[in-house]
Amino acid sequence: VLDIILTSVTTTTHYFSKMIVAWLTVMLQISTILFEGAILLYIRNAYDEGSGLLKILTRYNLLEVEATTFKSLLKVLGIDQKLLSVLGVSMIYMLLGVVIVQMIMVCISSFINSIEESGAIQAPVYIIFLIVYYVALALNAPAKLSSGFGYYMSMTPIVSMLFMPMRLLLVEVSIHEILLGIVLNICTLIIFSYYGSKIYHYGILG
């Protein structure tokens, strides 16, 4: 099938189309979940301000704070504009990191010719991500994220999608550091876009 497709489009076009489709799929799923959740919460809030739902959650020990309405729940949880901005910036880092990882995986997959080879490659990739995850957990402290290894990892492309959100939640991060991390991720994305298409071309036709 791939041979037939490449008679009509170039490998570069095919490479970027795969990336765009994958990225749009992620965005569509996230948008759908947020939209449906917002509608359900709005309906529930219009009905009884969420008191019935909160009572059920409290009865089954799914909610450990005392709140009778959605408004009081937001106050108890401390959800304010600052937290929402932190979540927004974290989402930007996460999306940039996911796209870069997708590019790497697409390039690697271009050299795979069988299911056995695919299985052999998956294990090392999972191990690498597990190592990064546990390192992030080990450095999940204000002192370790304010300087040293955790500080630099928060602005390093790919791994910053784990470290920067932790820094934003635990310590004060300047706008210059946030922008620097985003710019570095974007530059990495551009570099991978250019060289990734060439690697993909070589892997498919080589």
Side-chain angles (χ1 to χ4, degrees):
V1 175
L2 187 57
D3 293 335
I4 297 174
I5 294 174
L6 293 179
T7 60
S8 302
V9 298
T10 64
T11 54
T12 300
T13 302
H14 189 256
Y15 171 76
F16 284 110
S17 65
K18 291 179 71 173
M19 296 307 308
I20 292 171
V21 169
W23 186 79
L24 288 177
T25 300
V26 172
M27 293 301 299
L28 181 61
Q29 290 176 342
I30 294 175
S31 300
T32 302
I33 293 172
L34 293 177
F35 180 71
E36 292 178 351
I39 290 178
L40 292 175
L41 290 175
Y42 175 79
I43 294 174
R44 191 72 210 190
N45 186 68
Y47 179 71
D48 62 354
E49 296 185 343
S51 60
L53 177 62
L54 295 176
K55 286 180 181 179
I56 294 175
L57 294 176
T58 304
R59 180 184 302 173
Y60 292 101
N61 297 322
L62 298 175
L63 185 67
E64 298 181 354
V65 296
E66 295 183 0
T68 56
T69 62
F70 286 149
K71 188 175 181 179
S72 61
L73 179 63
L74 293 177
K75 290 182 179 180
V76 172
L77 295 178
I79 299 176
D80 52 12
Q81 186 176 358
K82 181 180 179 181
L83 179 59
L84 293 177
S85 62
V86 167
L87 294 177
V89 173
S90 300
M91 182 64 68
I92 293 173
Y93 272 89
M94 186 190 72
L95 291 176
L96 288 172
V98 167
V99 173
I100 296 173
V101 171
Q102 285 177 341
M103 285 188 171
I104 296 173
M105 296 307 297
V106 168
C107 291
I108 293 175
S109 66
S110 65
F111 294 91
I112 296 174
N113 297 316
S114 65
I115 297 177
E116 290 76 14
E117 292 180 1
S118 176
I121 290 177
Q122 285 180 4
V125 172
Y126 288 145
I127 292 174
I128 292 172
F129 279 111
L130 280 175
I131 292 173
V132 173
Y133 174 73
Y134 284 115
V135 169
L137 289 180
L139 298 175
N140 190 18
K144 296 179 180 179
L145 292 173
S146 298
S147 60
F149 186 74
Y151 173 81
Y152 292 108
M153 287 297 99
S154 67
M155 288 179 286
T156 303
I158 301 177
V159 295
S160 62
M161 64 179 175
L162 283 177
F163 286 89
M164 183 56 80
M166 292 193 305
R167 283 195 67 202
L168 292 171
L169 291 171
L170 295 176
V171 300
E172 289 292 331
V173 183
S174 68
I175 186 66
H176 301 92
E177 292 174 348
I178 295 174
L179 292 177
L180 176 60
I182 293 176
V183 169
L184 290 175
N185 274 280
I186 293 175
C187 290
T188 303
L189 184 61
I190 294 172
I191 293 172
F192 271 94
S193 298
Y194 178 76
Y195 289 101
S197 61
K198 297 182 179 298
I199 295 172
Y200 185 76
H201 174 83
Y202 178 77
I204 293 294
L205 302 179

